[in-house]
Amino acid sequence: MSLLEIKGLTRRFGGLIAVNDFNIELGERELVALIGPNGAGKTTVFNLISGFYQPSEGSIRLKGKDTKGLRPHQVTGLGVARTFQGIRLWSEMHVLDNIRIAQHYRLGYSLVDCFLRTKNYMLREKAIDDIAWELLEAMGLKDCAYELPRNLPYGVQRRVEIARAMSVKPSLLLLDEPAAGLNSADVEGLIKLVRWIHDTFPVTIWMIEHQMKVVMSLCSRIKVVDFGTTIADGNPEEIQKNHAVIKAYLGDDTI
Amino acid sequence: MITGGGPIPEVPARFVLRRGLARTHPRRKAVPRHAARKHHFKAKVPLVEIFQNILNALQFGSFYALIALGYTLVYGVLRLINFAHGDIFMVGAYLAYFVAVTLLGIGGLNLGLHMDPGLALAITVPVTMILTALVGVTLERTAYRPLRRKGADRLYVVITALMAGLVLENGNLALLGASRKRFPDMIDKVIWNLHGVTVTNLKVIVIVASILVFLLLQFIVTKTKIGMAMRGISYDKFAIPLMGIPLDTIIVVTFVLGSAMAGLAGILFAMSYPILEPYMGALIGWKAFIAAVVGGIGDIRGAIVGGFLLGFIEIGVVAVFPSTLRDLFAFSVLLIILWLRPTGIFGVAQTTKI
Amino acid sequence: MQKHVATIAIFAGIILLVLCAQFHILDQYYISVLMFMGVNVILASSLNLVNGYMGEFSCGHGGFMCVGAYVSSICTVLMFSKNHILGAPLLPPQFAFIGFPLALVAGSAASSVAGLVVAIPSFKTRGDYLAIITLAANYIVISAINNMEIIGGPRGFMGMSATERAMQSMLDIPWVLIFVLLGTVFTVWLLRRFVSSTLGKGVPAICQDEIAAEIMSVDTNRMKLIAFMLSSGLAGLAGGLYAQVLGYVNPQSFDIMRSTEVMVMVYLGGMGSLSGAAIAAILYTVLMEALRFLDVWKWVVIPLLLILLMQFRPEGIMGNKELSDLFPKLRKYYSFK
């Protein structure tokens, strides 16, 4: 059974068709990219998967379970984590809290537990803390655990956002333009980080990215969309030679 | 049947329940005793009564609409709930009072004037509107602008507005004392009787004024350059100055317009209900604000629709139930509207892009 | 040991205050100011959960307080006092010291159910529109009670002092003061435990970025439900205590003016700071009493002070910091976060 199976996914906003008949099947531990010109509907696909939008047509199945009608936090509970195009950290809370809060779906204690500080509460909070510290340590963020995200450099904020997504212990990680706004040194770091995550955790990573360097050096499979429609799907070499892709990116006349 | 101005249809005597009809048909048929005893039962109302109530609702709705326009204008431009606006309306009514008594020579500043009431009114209206606008602009300059300059959170401005309203209310109370003021009669009351529906000239003035103000503001906001700038600010306060548009001027104009309308509402209200007291602005202001939100705050049409809607709900409730239930029903209906349509009637939901 | 220092200090303080009241070291005026302080601390810290931590603008806290005040007053009057409509007392006075807290619980429960009126629309809407819903809720509560003749309508409702007498007939100690102080400590304790847990931190997450919160697995609807119901329930507790302190309630004392007062306390103290809210509530109560000589001008001076505060220190006394952030040494005894 595949991890993610999307069939005939379509999303319309009024007259605009943002995503048109999108299909994909992802297995375990894949590293896939979704590329395409601006406004091609890439982020909409991610929003549909994470439950932020409901599809107009088509189905999304996660580990065989249809996600139709689920609210975003429920989808996350099924093991989908994501980052955002513009960084969306909780800016007034320190990094550690950011990572703790993302584990909300497996709190495992009730409000009463929380008031009475029962044994269950203590155990669960400890587990949450342990996971958070482990991740911070592994991702080299231990020193800024008590910093507010807005005081951190942009590149570090990206790392924190990825760490927050990883604290969900996802089986599918969606990265929405992780390299946007990073300088070349940070991009190198990001490539290393993503590769490390892919090697260390049992997770399928699916990223939207414009920087071809990142895409080509990381991904084994690339899907190209334009105007909501898939125009190509294949490994990096195939995509580089694909005429439809070149046309979409560079226009007709250049060739 | 409703639109026709012809004779009103025969109403069975047992429906003759309230004074409106009884006056026009002076006991054509003797009202049976038991019907008279059922006086409190007001559920079935004759047509004349309905017209009378519609007229009253329009009048009341006009006040709400005029005040709601001020809320909505400022909100539309600054995304600021100007909680002091209801009190600016109160200040407008008091200013109108002082200008009027001064001009009529029955109080206020003793200038030795004894003007003809009509002339006095003609002067009072613009002078009050200007003075009220000045109050609004002063508020903007002393309280809101410094905060805006500092880039303070919207919330702090809202708190400031709330507090400024309290200062106006209680400052008035402290300065003028708790005694109520009686607004002098400025126009001769003319009562037309249209088939039993009593129409006073004042009611007509109020309703017409509110509609004219609405049309004027709608024109300013949608058709003029300054209106375009106002709408622009509401989208992006930071880009507007970069486009060479004087931000502060536009905001001052907004406050001038909003406060002048509150001043106008103050005069009209004082003429219709001539007893003035410092807290008169608070409740009517809150209600008008709710009306503006129900209409969809930031939208001029919303203010008018919300204001009249509130007027109709209130008068409708009073026509059927005891008048003490007015607020309960009015607010419940508004709450239900907001439950069903969280952004109000004309409001557009803000979408967030991620 | 150090862990318990704060707890011991708090309870020692309570006992000290109660002893002062018992042996008339503090006169009745100071005791009642103290009780209002307690009520205000409960109000401010509970509203802080919604207006501070969740970043909503609820301006109808007085309405929830009103529900709590009336429900618990009716319960106590039913149980322990003779009322011309509600009849003779149902329970003998010996039960008063159990019955009273139960009445408070009933009042809090009722007002937290009333909080649903605001909580449910908050799923779909926020910001200014939600502010209006809270405002309308406040008005609805006030005018509903104004129209209930059976509990006195606009004239108000009384007879709660019988409960105090009943409790004192058992043991002559300042019962109401004790309950107010315990209620205050309970509120702060409850809220602190909530906001310092990972569960409770979902609330500021909604404030700072609701979309990120929802997508990063925070059940925002549930959090909103908890926050609104907890906040309004505690407001109900404050209302119940307030009614008992005064021995008399009328709907006008819970109108927008009251809600505004509570908001003033929250923003004076600093949003999202529990100790800030408590300090501000105490300060505000003192200020109100100290400025009593100004008479009508008091209500001009206090708003002006707040306007100045907004100009020069808009984040309030504490900002979003807690006492332990400002005085790290305190952390040894008591951690706020």
Side-chain angles (χ1 to χ4, degrees):
Chain A
M1 186 178 57
S2 53
L3 177 71
L4 176 74
E5 196 184 348
I6 296 180
K7 272 201 189 124
L9 188 67
T10 302
R11 169 73 203 200
R12 285 181 284 265
F13 295 102
L16 177 82
I17 302 175
V19 178
N20 188 15
D21 192 24
F22 187 89
N23 298 289
I24 198 167
E25 203 168 318
L26 295 181
E28 307 272 337
R29 303 192 85 140
E30 282 199 67
L31 225 169
V32 187
L34 180 63
I35 64 171
N38 284 324
K42 304 181 297 293
T43 301
T44 310
V45 172
F46 275 20
N47 286 343
L48 285 161
I49 296 170
S50 44
F52 187 67
Y53 296 143
Q54 287 297 322
S56 307
E57 276 163 42
S59 71
I60 302 166
R61 299 180 87 82
L62 260 168
K63 299 172 191 162
K65 193 178 179 315
D66 198 332
T67 65
K68 197 176 175 68
L70 292 185
R71 294 191 31 230
H73 73 267
Q74 292 166 319
V75 177
T76 312
L78 291 174
V80 181
R82 69 173 286 183
T83 64
F84 301 90
Q85 218 172 80
I87 291 175
R88 280 178 169 267
L89 289 164
W90 298 296
S91 53
E92 300 294 322
M93 284 185 285
H94 52 61
V95 170
L96 182 63
D97 271 351
N98 266 278
I99 291 173
R100 277 183 189 148
I101 293 166
Q103 303 179 47
H104 239 250
Y105 77 97
R106 62 177 136 168
L107 280 179
Y109 60 82
S110 67
L111 194 58
V112 178
D113 281 328
C114 163
F115 290 147
L116 299 179
R117 297 280 140 108
T118 55
K119 203 170 174 187
N120 181 32
Y121 170 89
M122 290 299 184
L123 283 174
R124 300 283 185 165
E125 283 279 323
K126 174 131 194 337
I128 287 169
D129 251 23
D130 289 347
I131 291 171
W133 280 112
E134 222 170 89
L135 262 173
L136 285 177
E137 178 126 38
M139 295 183 67
L141 293 164
K142 208 179 167 194
D143 297 333
C144 54
Y146 290 106
E147 295 284 342
L148 292 185
R150 62 182 149 85
N151 297 337
L152 295 170
Y154 200 76
V156 182
Q157 287 188 34
R158 282 269 178 222
R159 278 179 107 79
V160 173
E161 213 190 15
I162 294 172
R164 183 179 70 174
M166 285 314 293
S167 76
V168 174
K169 291 207 169 159
S171 38
L172 176 63
L173 176 65
L174 306 172
L175 302 175
D176 195 346
E177 297 197 18
L182 298 188
N183 62 30
S184 56
D186 285 339
V187 170
E188 287 302 327
L190 178 83
I191 292 172
K192 261 186 219 148
L193 179 69
V194 173
R195 191 168 287 138
W196 174 79
I197 289 173
H198 188 239
D199 292 342
T200 321
F201 299 96
V203 60
T204 292
I205 300 175
W206 189 7
M207 65 167 78
I208 294 174
E209 188 47 69
H210 282 296
Q211 293 202 26
M212 283 308 130
K213 187 178 154 197
V214 179
V215 174
M216 295 303 168
S217 61
L218 280 171
C219 302
S220 54
R221 182 178 163 196
I222 297 171
K223 199 168 173 74
V224 191
V225 287
D226 194 17
F227 294 112
T229 315
T230 309
I231 55 175
D233 190 350
N235 61 38
E237 291 75 41
E238 287 166 10
I239 296 298
Q240 274 168 324
K241 290 184 206 124
N242 189 306
H243 280 287
V245 176
I246 296 163
K247 200 170 113 189
Y249 269 89
L250 303 173
D252 245 339
D253 299 334
T254 38
I255 303 169
Chain B
M1 198 168 89
I2 290 177
T3 45
I8 16 163
E10 186 67 23
V11 182
R14 65 195 160 86
F15 288 164
V16 180
L17 296 172
R18 288 184 75 184
R19 50 201 153 69
L21 199 68
R23 222 180 288 136
T24 38
H25 303 264
R27 301 222 169 204
R28 196 183 290 171
K29 289 173 189 169
V31 181
R33 272 275 161 81
H34 67 273
R37 265 207 307 279
K38 276 190 180 171
H39 208 82
H40 63 277
F41 179 70
K42 294 187 267 175
K44 288 182 177 164
V45 261
L47 205 56
V48 174
E49 190 80 352
I50 292 173
F51 276 114
Q52 187 70 57
N53 278 328
I54 289 177
L55 203 67
N56 291 343
L58 283 174
Q59 185 199 13
F60 238 85
S62 300
F63 293 126
Y64 289 136
L66 277 174
I67 302 170
L69 280 172
Y71 276 112
T72 238
L73 264 181
V74 171
Y75 187 89
V77 173
L78 284 179
R79 298 272 164 243
L80 156 69
I81 307 175
N82 184 12
F83 275 124
H85 193 70
D87 297 301
I88 289 180
F89 155 78
M90 176 274 295
V91 170
Y94 269 84
L95 285 172
Y97 166 80
F98 282 114
V99 174
V101 292
T102 304
L103 293 177
L104 293 170
I106 50 171
L109 296 175
N110 192 2
L111 300 179
L113 293 168
H114 291 285
M115 275 188 199
D116 173 60
L119 180 63
L121 182 65
I123 299 174
T124 307
V125 173
V127 170
T128 308
M129 284 172 73
I130 292 167
L131 289 177
T132 320
L134 273 179
V135 174
V137 171
T138 314
L139 190 64
E140 197 275 324
R141 291 208 82 132
T142 53
Y144 305 157
R145 186 181 293 183
L147 281 174
R148 196 168 62 243
R149 288 268 161 82
K150 281 180 214 156
D153 193 277
R154 214 165 64 96
L155 188 76
Y156 304 132
V157 194
V158 173
I159 303 289
T160 304
L162 203 57
M163 293 303 121
L166 285 179
V167 170
L168 287 178
E169 257 169 43
N170 296 299
N172 183 347
L173 185 69
L175 285 174
L176 301 177
S179 67
R180 298 172 166 196
K181 301 269 181 268
R182 196 186 184 288
F183 196 77
D185 291 324
M186 308 282 282
I187 52 167
D188 296 323
K189 204 168 186 179
V190 182
I191 302 172
W192 297 294
N193 192 326
L194 304 175
H195 301 291
V197 182
T198 48
V199 183
T200 61
N201 51 350
L202 202 54
K203 274 187 186 151
V204 175
I205 291 173
V206 169
I207 297 165
V208 170
S210 73
I211 292 169
L212 285 181
V213 164
F214 160 65
L215 293 175
L216 175 73
L217 289 182
Q218 184 73 2
F219 173 77
I220 290 177
V221 170
T222 55
K223 295 282 189 311
T224 63
K225 247 183 171 171
I226 205 153
M228 201 193 285
M230 284 160 115
R231 282 179 288 145
I233 293 173
S234 74
Y235 287 111
D236 195 334
K237 216 166 40 187
F238 301 104
I240 283 287
L242 301 178
M243 299 293 128
I245 297 165
L247 182 71
D248 284 337
T249 317
I250 304 291
I251 290 172
V252 165
V253 170
T254 313
F255 272 86
V256 165
L257 284 175
S259 307
M261 297 318 144
L264 182 64
I267 304 168
L268 294 173
F269 192 83
M271 283 164 70
S272 312
Y273 304 94
I275 304 296
L276 308 183
E277 47 111 8
Y279 293 106
M280 63 186 269
L283 185 63
I284 198 169
W286 286 109
K287 282 188 179 173
F289 172 45
I290 295 182
V293 175
V294 167
I297 195 160
D299 191 303
I300 301 224
R301 294 166 302 164
I304 282 285
V305 170
F308 282 119
L309 184 69
L310 185 58
F312 273 95
I313 294 171
E314 291 204 331
I315 299 291
V317 169
V318 175
V320 183
F321 300 102
S323 63
T324 48
L325 287 173
R326 185 185 64 191
D327 285 2
L328 183 61
F329 273 77
F331 287 118
S332 305
V333 170
L334 299 182
L335 192 74
I336 291 165
I337 293 176
L338 282 180
W339 271 40
L340 298 177
R341 243 192 102 78
T343 51
I345 296 167
F346 286 105
V348 184
Q350 274 188 339
T351 48
T352 326
K353 208 171 173 308
I354 58 169
Chain C
M1 183 59 210
Q2 272 181 346
K3 230 175 88 186
H4 298 294
V5 169
T7 322
I8 293 166
I10 286 167
F11 281 96
I14 290 181
I15 291 168
L16 193 71
L17 286 173
V18 171
L19 286 176
C20 285
Q22 177 70 8
F23 297 109
H24 306 289
I25 298 166
L26 284 173
D27 75 27
Q28 195 50 46
Y29 170 74
Y30 289 105
I31 298 294
S32 56
V33 171
L34 198 66
M35 290 195 281
F36 285 126
M37 238 178 232
V39 171
N40 283 341
V41 169
I42 301 177
L43 284 173
S45 47
S46 61
L47 185 65
N48 200 6
L49 184 61
V50 169
N51 283 29
Y53 288 95
M54 200 155 74
E56 286 297 352
F57 193 71
S58 164
C59 37
H61 216 51
F64 301 123
M65 188 185 172
C66 184
V67 172
Y70 267 85
V71 170
S72 53
S73 303
I74 291 166
C75 288
T76 55
V77 168
L78 260 179
M79 288 189 284
F80 307 111
S81 99
K82 217 175 90 196
N83 183 292
H84 64 285
I85 295 166
L86 303 174
L90 293 174
L91 293 176
Q94 292 87 312
F95 291 104
F97 68 98
I98 306 170
F100 178 57
L102 286 180
L104 288 178
V105 170
S108 312
S111 55
S112 79
V113 171
L116 283 175
V117 175
V118 178
I120 292 171
S122 81
F123 296 167
K124 280 201 292 185
T125 182
R126 58 175 310 170
D128 302 327
Y129 288 93
L130 194 65
I132 298 312
I133 289 175
T134 62
L135 192 65
N138 198 158
Y139 271 118
I140 288 172
V141 169
I142 303 294
S143 46
I145 288 177
N146 266 329
N147 280 292
M148 284 184 209
E149 274 306 314
I150 191 162
I151 49 170
R155 292 187 312 282
F157 184 72
M158 56 167 79
M160 284 77 90
S161 46
T163 315
E164 196 181 355
R165 283 197 300 277
M167 287 191 282
Q168 270 160 354
S169 72
M170 279 288 291
L171 187 61
D172 191 17
I173 52 171
W175 283 101
V176 180
L177 177 69
I178 295 174
F179 276 115
V180 170
L181 292 175
L182 288 179
T184 311
V185 171
F186 171 74
T187 302
V188 175
W189 171 84
L190 199 70
L191 286 173
R192 195 187 71 85
R193 289 213 153 171
F194 179 62
V195 298
S196 63
S197 69
T198 303
L199 176 71
K201 277 175 189 156
V203 173
I206 292 175
C207 167
Q208 288 162 31
D209 193 331
E210 186 170 347
I211 291 168
E214 176 69 39
I215 287 183
M216 297 321 290
S217 90
V218 178
D219 186 346
T220 50
N221 286 0
R222 176 166 172 248
M223 293 317 297
K224 285 174 182 174
L225 206 62
I226 292 175
F228 275 109
M229 289 183 76
L230 196 57
S231 163
S232 56
L234 290 171
L237 174 67
L241 290 168
Y242 175 83
Q244 191 61 44
V245 172
L246 280 187
Y248 162 81
V249 279
N250 67 346
Q252 285 77 44
S253 45
F254 303 107
D255 63 0
I256 299 296
M257 197 55 221
R258 167 79 51 184
S259 306
T260 311
E261 254 186 359
V262 187
M263 280 198 294
V264 166
M265 289 180 234
V266 169
Y267 297 114
L268 184 70
M271 286 180 289
S273 164
L274 210 48
S275 36
I279 291 170
I282 292 168
L283 203 69
Y284 183 81
T285 321
V286 172
L287 201 66
M288 289 297 283
E289 292 303 320
L291 294 180
R292 202 169 265 278
F293 71 95
L294 286 174
D295 205 34
V296 193
W297 285 99
K298 183 170 83 172
W299 280 107
V300 181
V301 172
I302 287 177
L304 273 179
L305 283 178
L306 210 81
I307 290 178
L308 289 177
L309 182 85
M310 287 296 133
Q311 299 282 346
F312 298 109
R313 194 177 162 78
E315 67 273 26
I317 299 171
M318 303 287 288
N320 63 356
K321 295 194 171 62
E322 297 289 355
L323 267 183
S324 55
D325 297 331
L326 297 185
F327 305 103
K329 276 188 183 158
L330 278 178
R331 217 172 270 159
K332 250 195 305 193
Y333 306 106
Y334 201 70
S335 74
F336 284 83
K337 280 184 176 170

